Structures are given as structure tokens and as C-alpha cells.
Amino acid sequence: MEVPGRVWAEVDLGAVRHNVRTLRRRSRAPRLMAVVKADAYGHGAVPVARAALAGGADSLAVATAGEGAELRRAGIRAPVLVFGDLTPEGLRAAARERLAVSAHSVPSARRIAASGLDLEVHLKVDTGMNRWGLEPGEVGAALKALGRTPDGVYTHLACADSDPEATGRQLALFDSVLAAHPFGGALAHAANSAGTLWHPGSHYGCVRPGIALYGLHPAGDAGDPAAEGLRPALALKSYVAAVRRLEPGEGVSYGLTFRAPEPMLAATVPVGYADGYRRALSGRAEALIRGRRRPLLGRVSMDACVFAADREVRVGDEVVLLGEQGGGAVRAEELAARAGTINYEITTGLNPRRVERSYADVQGS
Ligand SMILES: Cc1ncc(COP(=O)(O)O)c(C=O)c1O
């Protein structure tokens, strides 16, 4: 772990609880499964899982058996579903840790049955994303291979944030699968964050939001979380380590891609792409220092970058790379658009070996 004080993430667990409650209000489903895979999208799986459960989540989801085991090691006893494919070793770990598993294909249903392990199983059906899951025509064979009624049956929506017609087609196909087979009391689920917010027809027995738990907008690089009643949970901060004067024509950082057009001040901040502050932001992002937006000058390097400054800016000043300061805000959606990516990758890409995380409840419960 890094020595504190260089670059840090502040995670507001009150915001996570608030977002869970907001999503529950928007959902018709009796249950909510909080998706905390990938270390809770870079926010820290264990504290976020606890906050989500305290906010009203009924269960959790992760991508791998290892992620589920981390929750169990922390003493979290809530139901946990593993979305990802599991090898025989992965299935044994899931049984040991009491994690529910996904059957993605007929061979995976067969492997689960052959393991002889006492596992909760959710069948995953591919209704159009063409990534994971049983083709609708394979569901009968998977049920036969499994040899019993699954505990859950689910699908994943490819574009609930952007294409209502394609989403409608996926849901119609899912409905036809649910009607065609004897699923008994299996829990049906389909809605990611976008489905939870905008497609009531996807709610079924349980919604499965991820990105919105963190107060981030499901559109990825656009949209205002506040317009959906969501509160961003993570702020990324650093400090001004040096202030220097640039003469006209002097360049900044590798490649000298920024040249000072006139005499100006520049603040060096010890955050770089090794921390997860992406190099694609070079020359494009802004940060807040002393309550004002300051353009990033030139390239982001591995451990540092440089922002425009003025005489107000002092060594030691707080720099808000993501989050709020003095009434202004830099949102993950803005950084994503500027870096040519999505908010998911902005927070998930933070490097926990370098970015110290602290937890607070600054927005209350
Ligand atoms: C199967 C499944 N369900 C739900 C989610 C949550 O999606 P989102 O973060 O868009 O809400 C994911 C995330 O990728 C997923 O893979």
C-alpha cells in the first residue's frame, strides 16, 4: 500500500446506500442484487457490499469465485452469484464459499451436475448479446443436463442505455424462454442499471444494477447522474507538489506537446497513468484547484501531470481530479468522454496499489 497523501480516492458509502434506495424505488422487482464485481468498479468490494446491503440490497454479484471468496473472508453472509464461467476448481471454491454459480452452456450445466456439489445454479440465457449464455434453443438440453430445476434464470441486456427496440426484442425472447420451460420458482432476472432505470419490463423478480450503485450514469460517457437521482460515490484527489513559471514558447511534459502562449504558471500534480489517471486525458481534461477548473497541460506521464495555475495556486493545495470542489464538479462521464472511454473504465481502472482509498459517510444515510 502506498504511503498516504499522494493521490487518494474518497468513497462515500452514504451515497452508495442512497443509490440503492433510489434504484429500489425505481424498480418493481421485489429484490435487488448489487453488482460489486471488479472490486466494486474500483470503489472497494467489501465496504461497498456492506453499504449496499445496509441500503436494502438482498444479494450481491461478482464475476469470479475469487471475488466471492473475498466477500466471504470479510464475513459477508448474503447470497452471492458468480456471473463468470467456472472451471471444476472454480466450482469447488464456489461450493466451499457458498456462492451461487451460472450455467452458461450445455457443457457448463453438465460440468455443474457432474461435480456432485451442492450448488445454487442460475441458468444464463443469451437473448442477443452473443457473448455468454445458452442459445434459447439449448435451454431444454441444459435443463436436462442439470437434472433439476435451476434456482435462477437470467439474461443480460446489450443496450438498455441506448436502444429501446433492441432491448424490447431481447426481453420478448427472454419471455418466450421463460414460457417454454418448467422453471418452477426459479428467480428470473435481466435488468442492469439501465434496465432498472428505464425498462420496467426488464425487472422480473430481481434487478441487478452495477454502475448506478456508484452514482454513475449507465450511458457511460454522457448523461447526468443527478437527473436520475443518483449521487457519485467516488472522488479522486491529489495535491499541488510544485508551481513553476513558463515563459512563452516553453513546453510541458513528454513531447512538449503544450507550449505556453504567454507567461503563465503551471502546477505539477503527482498523479499519472500508473495510478489510473489515463494517458488518453493528455491535453483534454480539467481538474479543480481552489474551486476553479484548470486545464491539463500536455501529456499525462506515469507518475505526474501538469495543470494550468495562477497566482492563487499554492504548493499543497488540494487537487480534485474527479469529484466536487467549491461548487464545481468533474464527473466520471466527463473524463470518460474526454478519454474516449466510459465511466466504468475510469473508476475500475484506478490502481489500488497506488491510490489509497478512504471511506466516509459525508452525505449521511
Ligand atoms: C450479468 C451482468 N448483470 C449486471 C451487470 C451490471 O451492469 P451495469 O453496471 O451496467 O448496471 C453486469 C455488468 O457488466 C453484468 O455482467
Side-chain angles (χ1 to χ4, degrees):
M1 182 43 76
E2 194 48 72
V3 172
R6 179 181 157 267
V7 50
W8 64 97
E10 293 173 0
V11 179
D12 177 2
L13 297 174
V16 173
R17 288 200 301 274
H18 164 87
N19 295 329
V20 172
R21 282 198 299 266
T22 300
L23 290 158
R24 281 215 82 126
R25 271 199 301 278
R26 297 278 290 263
S27 165
R28 295 173 175 170
R31 297 199 212 171
L32 185 144
M33 182 186 294
V35 179
V36 297
K37 64 189 175 130
D39 206 15
Y41 295 32
H43 293 63
V46 168
V48 165
R50 288 201 178 110
L53 292 166
D58 303 278
S59 64
L60 304 165
V62 294
T64 70
E67 290 178 347
E70 183 190 352
L71 299 174
R72 293 291 184 243
R73 274 197 304 276
I76 293 173
R77 293 203 175 85
V80 176
L81 171 63
V82 181
F83 289 147
D85 193 45
L86 293 173
T87 59
E89 293 77 11
L91 291 176
R92 281 196 289 279
R96 224 173 21 247
E97 306 290 355
R98 289 164 293 103
L99 309 172
V101 302
S102 299
H104 295 276
S105 62
V106 178
S108 99
R110 222 175 266 134
R111 201 183 312 139
I112 291 166
S115 74
L117 297 164
D118 180 19
L119 287 164
E120 181 179 323
V121 183
H122 293 230
L123 277 199
K124 179 151 187 183
V125 183
D126 180 9
T127 54
M129 190 148 164
N130 288 310
R131 188 184 61 167
W132 293 114
L134 295 150
E135 302 270 319
E138 295 176 316
V139 171
L143 285 170
K144 206 159 156 221
L146 201 58
R148 64 176 179 89
T149 309
D151 304 278
V153 51
Y154 74 105
T155 193
H156 192 38
L157 301 174
C159 40
D161 59 312
S162 59
D163 188 337
E165 271 109 68
T167 303
R169 282 194 296 278
Q170 283 198 261
L171 294 173
L173 192 51
F174 190 48
D175 285 336
S176 72
V177 169
L178 292 177
H181 300 279
F183 284 115
L187 181 70
H189 47 109
N192 55 6
S193 297
T196 306
L197 291 170
W198 303 314
H199 300 281
S202 69
H203 291 176
Y204 299 98
C206 179
V207 292
R208 254 183 6 239
I211 196 78
L213 298 175
Y214 310 103
L216 303 177
H217 198 279
D221 62 355
D224 178 8
E228 303 297 336
L230 301 170
R231 293 185 192 156
L234 185 141
L236 181 67
K237 299 185 179 177
S238 184
Y239 71 99
V240 174
V243 178
R244 55 176 30 79
R245 187 182 155 87
L246 301 175
E247 298 304 333
E250 275 194 298
V252 171
S253 191
Y254 288 114
L256 305 178
T257 53
F258 173 83
R259 300 261 174 191
E262 57 197 29
M264 64 180 288
L265 295 171
T268 303
V269 179
V271 60
Y273 60 76
D275 301 293
Y277 191 72
R278 300 168 65 86
R279 188 172 181 276
L281 293 169
S282 295
R284 293 165 176 262
E286 292 177 337
L288 294 160
I289 308 175
R290 294 214 169 230
R292 288 182 48 193
R293 281 183 166 257
R294 318 279 179 167
L296 175 56
L297 306 179
R299 290 190 180 146
V300 176
S301 58
M302 190 179 285
D303 316 302
C305 56
V306 179
F307 290 91
D310 57 25
R311 283 210 303 259
E312 261 191 279
V313 173
R314 297 273 179 276
V315 168
D317 279 354
E318 178 188 81
V319 178
V320 173
L321 302 148
L322 180 58
E324 298 178 3
Q325 188 193 63
V330 177
R331 295 280 174 236
E333 292 74 25
E334 171 188 332
L335 290 188
R338 291 177 185 237
T341 183
I342 50 175
N343 48 11
Y344 295 69
E345 203 181 22
I346 295 290
T347 59
T348 308
L350 295 175
N351 179 354
R353 289 169 62 93
R354 281 185 157 219
V355 180
E356 190 207 351
R357 276 192 299 237
S358 66
Y359 293 91
D361 257 324
V362 295
Q363 300 181 50
S365 60

